[in-house]
């Protein structure tokens, strides 16, 4: 079986870092609400760590948006984002795709938008008790509204994650597509020998260096935002 390298190292690293940071932010906010047991006795400032994970998520989302413009072929939005007609055509007759299929592409956009909003709104959110975003004092009226949306959108994120995991399980178990392993080593099997000569992604050292510089700039931008308040 022939394999094609489609996911570059920066994109794969982004994916797994986002998983870790989202899980970390969620566990921290849940731990902050615990008043009994060993979690409450650890001495850890869970809300501070929730904020740190949130800043990391925002940095990662900014990087992914930029990487979707300047990254290698399969990382670019213009390569995999398609209109409704392509989605309907795919649903009627699924075809082999090198990269995201038309339906999966929009799930990626939905998750980037949802997690991006969640992280950005956290900069302004404040509950006047446990949490106060670094920019909450700048716009008090907006802060109250964004704090409400920040909490309400939690369920949307949970639903999106459940759908994402369910889709991975479906494609892995019933369609025999190694999505998880592909996001580890970056390669997917070609459906036919002819497709094995498709253009592979640029996964060179230069690509990784460019991504690292871009990500550090995103981190610097998010840090700068947190100092404005």
């Amino acid at each position: 079986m022939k394999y094609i390298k489609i996911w570059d190292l920066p994109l794969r690293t982004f994916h797994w870092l986002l998983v870790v940071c989202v899980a970390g932010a969620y566990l921290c906010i849940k731990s902050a609400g615990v008043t009994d047991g060993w979690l409450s006795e650890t001495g850890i400032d869970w809300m501070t760590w929730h904020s740190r994970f949130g800043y990391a998520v925002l940095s990662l989302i900014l990087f992914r948006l930029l990487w979707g413009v300047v990254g290698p072929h399969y990382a670019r939005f213009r390569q995999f984002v398609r209109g409704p007609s392509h989605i309907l055509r795919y649903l009627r007759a699924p075809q082999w795709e090198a990269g995201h299929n038309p339906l999966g592409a929009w799930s990626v956009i939905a998750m980037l938008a949802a997690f991006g909003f969640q992280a950005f709104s956290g900069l302004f959110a404040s509950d006047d008790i446990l949490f106060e975003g670094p920019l909450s004092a700048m716009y008090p009226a907006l802060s109250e509204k964004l704090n409400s949306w920040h909490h309400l959108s939690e369920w949307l994120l949970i639903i999106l994650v459940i759908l994402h995991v369910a889709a991975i399980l479906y494609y892995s178990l019933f369609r025999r597509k190694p999505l998880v392993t592909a996001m580890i080593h970056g390669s997917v099997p070609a459906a036919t020998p002819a497709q094995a000569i498709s253009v592979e992604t640029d996964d060179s050292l230069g690509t990784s260096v460019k991504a690292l510089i871009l990500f550090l700039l995103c981190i610097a931008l998010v840090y700068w935002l947190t100092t404005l308040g």
Side-chain angles (χ1 to χ4, degrees):
M1 183 178 292
K2 298 293 185 179
Y3 282 80
I4 308 173
K5 176 65 73 70
I6 58 172
W7 305 129
D8 55 84
L9 179 60
L11 187 62
R12 287 163 11 229
T13 304
F14 154 80
H15 178 273
W16 295 114
L17 284 178
L18 185 63
V19 171
V20 171
C21 291
V22 167
Y26 181 79
L27 292 176
C28 285
I29 195 67
K30 295 305 176 185
S31 299
V34 175
T35 56
D36 297 319
W38 67 273
L39 281 175
S40 62
E41 299 173 357
T42 59
I44 298 174
D45 187 345
W46 295 108
M47 292 308 299
T48 296
W49 278 101
H50 175 74
S51 299
R52 289 170 178 169
F53 279 119
Y55 301 152
V57 169
L58 185 56
S59 300
L60 287 166
I61 296 296
L62 286 175
F63 165 78
R64 182 63 184 96
L65 294 177
L66 294 173
W67 202 238
V69 178
V70 303
H73 177 69
Y74 293 105
R76 299 194 178 193
F77 296 125
R78 69 181 184 184
Q79 187 276 328
F80 62 84
V81 177
R82 299 289 185 268
S85 61
H86 287 82
I87 297 176
L88 292 175
R89 192 179 307 122
Y90 175 79
L91 291 174
R92 286 195 297 264
Q95 300 291 325
W96 181 88
E97 297 275 350
H100 294 297
N101 63 56
L103 191 60
W106 282 104
S107 71
V108 170
I109 298 300
M111 295 190 73
L112 289 176
F115 284 118
F117 171 78
Q118 187 76 349
F120 181 77
S121 63
L123 296 175
F124 298 88
S126 173
D127 60 6
D128 296 323
I129 302 175
L130 291 175
F131 181 75
E132 184 174 294
L135 304 183
S136 59
M138 295 180 65
Y139 306 99
L142 181 63
S143 173
E144 183 178 352
K145 185 174 296 185
L146 285 178
N147 183 68
S148 177
W149 291 349
H150 187 77
H151 287 284
L152 289 175
S153 61
E154 178 183 317
W155 286 105
L156 173 61
L157 298 181
I158 292 174
I159 292 172
L160 287 174
V161 170
I162 291 174
L163 290 175
H164 183 67
V165 173
I168 291 174
L169 291 175
Y170 168 75
Y171 278 97
S172 299
L173 297 176
F174 298 101
R175 301 289 295 277
R176 302 299 181 185
K177 293 184 178 295
L179 300 183
V180 176
T181 55
M183 197 51 71
I184 295 175
H185 52 61
S187 299
V188 298
T192 66
Q195 291 163 342
I197 62 174
S198 298
V199 177
E200 290 196 318
T201 192
D202 179 6
D203 201 18
S204 63
L205 177 61
T207 297
S208 296
V209 171
K210 180 173 72 172
L212 178 60
I213 294 173
L214 187 62
F215 183 48
L216 291 176
L217 290 174
C218 291
I219 293 175
L221 176 59
V222 171
Y223 175 77
W224 174 73
L225 287 174
T226 64
T227 65
L228 294 180

